[in-house]
Amino acid sequence: MPATSPRRSTMPPSAETDPPLLQATALTRHFPITTGVLWKHRTGAVRAVDGVDLTVRRAETLGIVGESGCGKSTLASLLMALDQPTSGTVTIDGQDPFSLSGRELRTLRRRVQMVLQDPYTSLDPRMTAGQIVGEPFAIHPDAVPRTDRGRRVAELLETVGLDPTHRDRYPHQFSGGQRQRLGIARALALGPRLLLCDEPVSALDVSVQAQVLNLLQDLRRDLRLACVFISHDLAVVQHLCDRIAVMYLGKIVETGTREQIYTTPRHPYTRALLAAAPVPDPRRRAPDDAHLLEGDLPSPASPPSGCRFRTRCPRAREQCLTEPELRTRDGADHPTACHFPIDTTT
């Protein structure tokens, strides 16, 4: 867990009235299950993402949390237009990336860049640090004049806390945290407006995690970047994010501000995740009515009917056989997808 305290939101008040920088509507991705070799027959589908609505505004950080296998990384691929959705839409700066030509899509992607999970495999071991950070300029030669690229690479390395004189070193000559900084520098090269970070610190030691998170926080403030931060670590999300969306089996089950999710969680799944998270203070304990998760995550190829969490939920009743809508219910201040949300007023 990072040795840092939750920060205050740095999102400017005007951002709430600005058009969304990134928006997903009814976003769905099903992977077909087939049998046969010569004549394939579809026998089902893995519902990795199943009707997700998300909005990210300027200079805002949205955290997406959930267990492994709930569809977070598939959602990231869809938001980056790296994979085609089965249905639904994604807009980036008001544009549909799936309707653009290759040239137009490359131009749009300059505004949205990705920081990958594993710094050990996301960098080409045959390229030097300078070549890795400068690679976006080769793909987009109009971004920076050729004569200025060396200076710009040095500035980027310095921005992420690396020594520009180490530009001729190879990835194996850097530590894990330094390699992730290289990945961040490469993502910043084209001056994006939005960073999509898919578990960017999960492969790092805890002490190094805090350094990388503080770097991302400083970059957000200084460059006014928006960010989608995907993680299974609730402490990391609490430290960095303005709003949080909780994902379970391809669906968003609760969304709200950081304070709403951590102070008054209303979905039993969110409450169970918070109860299971380790806390550094042994005097703090989970609420008496909090239930830890039991059983395995159901298969996304055959999710439970109705509420997908009902097979693991201590509050499940007959009504849960029908799927709950993600909405703000009476007496609540943020949306949940639960027929019987937790009453946080008592």
Side-chain angles (χ1 to χ4, degrees):
M1 179 182 296
T4 49
S5 58
R7 60 173 182 81
R8 294 183 178 179
S9 173
T10 57
M11 185 174 62
S14 62
E16 296 183 0
T17 59
D18 290 342
L21 184 59
L22 174 70
Q23 186 165 25
T25 304
L27 195 59
T28 299
R29 182 62 169 107
H30 294 173
F31 295 95
I33 301 173
T34 60
T35 59
V37 178
L38 297 178
W39 293 275
K40 293 190 176 182
H41 301 280
R42 179 166 176 165
T43 59
V46 175
R47 301 180 180 182
V49 176
D50 210 9
V52 167
D53 296 330
L54 288 176
T55 299
V56 182
R57 300 188 182 276
R58 176 172 54 88
E60 176 187 40
T61 295
L62 172 68
I64 300 176
V65 298
E67 295 173 274
S68 297
C70 71
K72 303 188 301 296
S73 293
T74 301
L75 177 60
S77 296
L78 295 172
L79 297 178
M80 281 292 296
L82 298 176
D83 190 15
Q84 286 274 354
T86 304
S87 62
T89 61
V90 175
T91 57
I92 301 172
D93 254 358
Q95 292 183 281
D96 177 4
F98 302 107
S99 66
L100 302 178
S101 66
R103 182 189 296 267
E104 292 170 331
L105 183 57
R106 282 194 297 273
T107 300
L108 181 64
R109 280 188 175 146
R110 292 171 62 163
R111 301 175 223 167
V112 183
Q113 291 290 306
M114 194 168 189
V115 179
L116 299 173
Q117 176 178 0
D118 189 355
Y120 298 91
T121 59
S122 62
L123 304 178
D124 190 334
R126 298 167 297 180
M127 298 175 68
T128 65
Q131 291 171 331
I132 289 169
V133 176
E135 186 178 19
F137 304 141
I139 300 172
H140 301 273
D142 61 321
V144 175
R146 185 178 296 273
T147 55
D148 291 339
R149 292 178 187 176
R151 175 187 57 80
R152 181 58 180 151
V153 167
E155 290 176 351
L156 288 165
L157 290 172
E158 196 167 7
T159 296
V160 298
L162 295 175
D163 189 340
T165 62
H166 294 166
R167 61 191 302 164
D168 293 326
R169 292 186 178 183
Y170 289 88
H172 73 272
Q173 295 174 294
F174 293 94
S175 68
Q178 290 173 326
R179 279 193 282 260
Q180 194 60 290
R181 289 172 186 264
L182 277 178
I184 294 172
R186 178 177 60 186
L188 294 175
L190 298 175
R193 299 181 63 188
L194 172 70
L195 282 184
L196 201 156
C197 304
D198 186 8
E199 300 270 13
V201 297
S202 63
L204 305 177
D205 292 338
V206 173
S207 59
V208 180
Q209 286 184 13
Q211 297 171 17
V212 174
L213 289 173
N214 287 333
L215 170 64
L216 288 171
Q217 180 178 318
D218 292 341
L219 292 172
R220 267 207 58 214
R221 181 191 63 239
D222 298 340
L223 303 178
R224 299 193 70 199
L225 287 171
C227 182
V228 176
F229 194 93
I230 295 174
S231 178
H232 65 274
D233 190 326
L234 292 165
V236 167
V237 172
Q238 183 181 19
H239 171 68
L240 195 66
C241 299
D242 301 305
R243 288 192 301 115
I244 296 166
V246 182
M247 196 168 182
Y248 184 79
L249 270 186
K251 288 185 172 290
I252 302 298
V253 298
E254 185 166 10
T255 182
T257 66
R258 179 180 61 244
E259 289 76 15
Q260 289 168 343
I261 296 298
Y262 284 86
T263 305
T264 57
R266 291 179 56 82
H267 198 283
Y269 179 61
T270 306
R271 188 72 168 265
L273 287 179
L274 292 171
V279 293
D281 188 348
R283 294 170 296 181
R284 293 179 56 193
R285 55 192 294 261
D288 293 336
D289 61 345
H291 291 263
L292 297 180
L293 288 173
E294 297 181 358
D296 296 328
L297 188 74
S299 170
S302 56
S305 59
C307 175
R308 297 192 174 184
F309 186 60
R310 66 177 178 80
T311 57
R312 306 169 75 189
C313 181
R315 303 169 68 87
R317 305 177 199 174
E318 185 176 354
Q319 188 178 346
C320 300
L321 292 171
T322 61
E323 185 174 350
E325 179 186 354
L326 180 65
R327 63 179 177 83
T328 303
R329 286 164 168 78
D330 294 342
D333 58 357
H334 63 280
T336 55
C338 181
H339 292 300
F340 307 103
I342 298 168
D343 186 357
T344 57
T345 62
T346 57

